[in-house]
C-alpha cells in the first residue's frame, strides 16, 4: 500500500492510495480533480473509487467533475449530501481493493455523517493507515459543527483512539502548527508537545507537510485525545472526559480568534469552508 499525499487549496490534503500489486488506486477527499488525475497519470495506476469523509465542499466538491472524467467511478461515503455519491456506506462495513482492506468508521461530531477509513493489508509489515478527514488532525480535531461533545468524544476516544498505536494518521488539513500552539497552552509542561512544535515549525519553514503522524504519537500530545489526563482536566476544570472536550473546543475557538482576528470577508470564507453557508458552485 502506497499513499500519495496531495496538498490542495489553502491547507487541504487529498490522498491517493495505491495497491502496488494490482495498480488499482483509491482517492480520498477529492477537492481538485485535475490535480488528482495528474498524480494518477504519473503513477500509472487505475483509479476506481473515491472515499469521501464528509460532504463539505473542500472535501467533496471535485467528485462530480471526476466522475464525469472517469466514467464508472465509484463514489462512496456515509452522508447523502456528498456530491455524486454512488454508494452509501455504513459503520463497520468493510471494503476490499486487492490486498487492501478498508473498515468504515462512523465518526460524527464535525458533521453528522462523517466517516473515517481504516486501511490495512494482511501479513504486511507496514503499519495500517487511518484517513480521518476532519474528525482527527495532527494535535487537534475538527470543529464540532453538527454533533455534540459526547458524540465527538465517542468518535475520538472510543472509535479512533482504540486503533493500533502504530496506525499512520492522514488527516484532511494542515493545521498542525496552530493545533500544537494551542496544545502547548493546555499542557505547557508536556515535553512531547514542545518537541512536536519545534519539529512542526521547521516543517513549516521548509514548506513541508506534517502528515502523517501516528495514533501513538497523537495520544502523547493531542489534547483532544488526552481529556482523561490530569493536566487537561486541570486546564478545563472538568473531570468528565466529554465535558472536558467541550471546554477544549470552546477554548480552542477563543485561542484562534485571539491569535488571528478575522475580517468579515474571512469569516464568511471560513463559514463556507466549514459548510455553514452551503456548497460552493462547481467549476
Amino acid at each position: 500500500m502506497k499513499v500519495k499525499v496531495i496538498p490542495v487549496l489553502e491547507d487541504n490534503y487529498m490522498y491517493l492510495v495505491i495497491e502496488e500489486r494490482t495498480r488499482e488506486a483509491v482517492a480520498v477527499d477529492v477537492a481538485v480533480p485535475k490535480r488528482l488525475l495528474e498524480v494518477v497519470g504519473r503513477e500509472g495506476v487505475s483509479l476506481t473509487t473515491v472515499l469521501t469523509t464528509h460532504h463539505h465542499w473542500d472535501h467533496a466538491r471535485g467528485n462530480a467533475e471526476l466522475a464525469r472524467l472517469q466514467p464508472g467511478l465509484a463514489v462512496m461515503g456515509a452522508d447523502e449530501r456528498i456530491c455524486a455519491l454512488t454508494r452509501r456506506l455504513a459503520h463497520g462495513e468493510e471494503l476490499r481493493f486487492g490486498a487492501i482492506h478498508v473498515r468504515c468508521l462512523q465518526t460524527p461530531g464535525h458533521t453528522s455523517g462523517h466517516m473515517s477509513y481504516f486501511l490495512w493489508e494482511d501479513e504486511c509489515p507496514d503499519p495500517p493507515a487511518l484517513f480521518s478527514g476532519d474528525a482527527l488532525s495532527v494535535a487537534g480535531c475538527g470543529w464540532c459543527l453538527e454533533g455534540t461533545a459526547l458524540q465527538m468524544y465517542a468518535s475520538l476516544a472510543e472509535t479512533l483512539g482504540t486503533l493500533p498505536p502504530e496506525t499512520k494518521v492522514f488527516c484532511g488539513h494542515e493545521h498542525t502548527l496552530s493545533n500544537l500552539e494551542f496544545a502547548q497552552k493546555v499542557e505547557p509542561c508536556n515535553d512531547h508537545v514542545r518537541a512536536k512544535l519545534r519539529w512542526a515549525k521547521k516543517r513549516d519553514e521548509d514548506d513541508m507537510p506534517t502528515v502523517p503522524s501516528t495514533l501513538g504519537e497523537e495520544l502523547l500530545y493531542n489534547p483532544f485525545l488526552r481529556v482523561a489526563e490530569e493536566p487537561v482536566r486541570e486546564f478545563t476544570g472538568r473531570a468528565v472526559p466529554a465535558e472536558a472536550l467541550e471546554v477544549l473546543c470552546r477554548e480552542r475557538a477563543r485561542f484562534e480568534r485571539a491569535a488571528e482576528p478575522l475580517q468579515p470577508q474571512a469569516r464568511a470564507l471560513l463559514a463556507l469552508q466549514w459548510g455553514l453557508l452551503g456548497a460552493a458552485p462547481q467549476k
Side-chain angles (χ1 to χ4, degrees):
M1 180 169 58
K2 177 180 179 181
V3 179
K4 299 292 294 183
V5 178
I6 309 172
V8 291
L9 305 179
E10 183 178 354
D11 58 24
N12 277 76
Y13 287 118
M14 301 187 300
Y15 298 101
L16 185 69
V17 183
I18 300 169
E19 209 279 22
E20 295 191 273
R21 180 179 58 84
T22 64
R23 307 302 294 168
E24 181 179 1
V26 177
V28 181
D29 283 356
V30 178
V32 184
K34 290 182 180 178
R35 174 77 180 108
L36 175 69
L37 290 177
E38 289 174 4
V39 179
V40 168
R42 189 165 62 244
E43 293 292 323
V45 295
S46 175
L47 179 65
T48 64
T49 304
V50 170
L51 298 175
T52 303
T53 59
H54 61 295
H55 74 283
H56 287 167
W57 73 277
D58 56 331
H59 295 260
R61 72 172 188 174
N63 288 353
E65 183 179 355
L66 187 63
R68 179 180 62 81
L69 296 171
Q70 297 276 114
L73 185 74
V75 178
M76 302 184 187
D79 194 324
E80 62 186 10
R81 294 173 291 181
I82 291 172
C83 183
L85 189 71
T86 64
R87 178 176 170 185
R88 190 169 181 180
L89 300 169
H91 177 68
E93 186 172 349
E94 294 198 359
L95 311 171
R96 187 79 178 264
F97 302 98
I100 300 174
H101 298 263
V102 181
R103 181 175 300 141
C104 305
L105 301 173
Q106 194 90 38
T107 45
H110 180 64
T111 67
S112 59
H114 195 289
M115 184 73 84
S116 299
Y117 301 98
F118 179 66
L119 280 65
W120 77 97
E121 294 177 274
D122 291 332
E123 300 178 1
C124 177
D126 295 334
L130 173 69
F131 295 89
S132 56
D134 285 356
L136 174 66
S137 56
V138 181
C141 69
W143 300 96
C144 193
L145 297 179
E146 295 182 356
T148 65
L150 187 60
Q151 286 177 314
M152 181 71 88
Y153 173 74
S155 294
L156 294 174
E158 298 170 10
T159 302
L160 302 183
T162 56
L163 294 172
E166 68 272 19
T167 301
K168 290 184 177 181
V169 179
F170 295 92
C171 60
H173 290 273
E174 182 57 59
H175 290 166
T176 301
L177 200 54
S178 62
N179 286 346
L180 285 164
E181 288 169 346
F182 175 68
Q184 189 171 55
K185 179 181 179 181
V186 177
E187 292 189 88
C189 296
N190 186 323
D191 290 338
H192 300 290
V193 172
R194 283 200 290 262
K196 190 71 174 180
L197 181 56
R198 286 194 300 270
W199 176 85
K201 286 179 178 178
K202 182 63 167 61
R203 299 290 286 186
D204 183 61
E205 290 169 2
D206 296 338
D207 197 25
M208 296 289 289
T210 61
V211 296
S213 62
T214 70
L215 187 58
E217 291 170 352
E218 293 298 320
L219 292 167
L220 296 174
Y221 53 64
N222 189 327
F224 297 91
L225 289 178
R226 294 175 53 79
V227 288
E229 300 294 329
E230 186 60 30
V232 181
R233 291 167 61 184
E234 289 180 4
F235 176 83
T236 61
R238 299 289 189 275
V240 178
E243 294 178 3
L245 188 141
E246 186 172 18
V247 173
L248 276 183
C249 289
R250 289 201 302 268
E251 290 301 317
R252 194 226 352 229
R254 292 192 184 102
F255 177 81
E256 295 198 2
R257 285 198 298 269
E260 193 172 345
L262 295 177
Q263 298 301 316
Q265 297 91 337
R267 290 184 184 278
L269 177 60
L270 199 55
L272 181 62
Q273 290 176 334
W274 292 346
L276 300 179
L277 299 181
Q282 298 294 319
K283 295 183 179 180

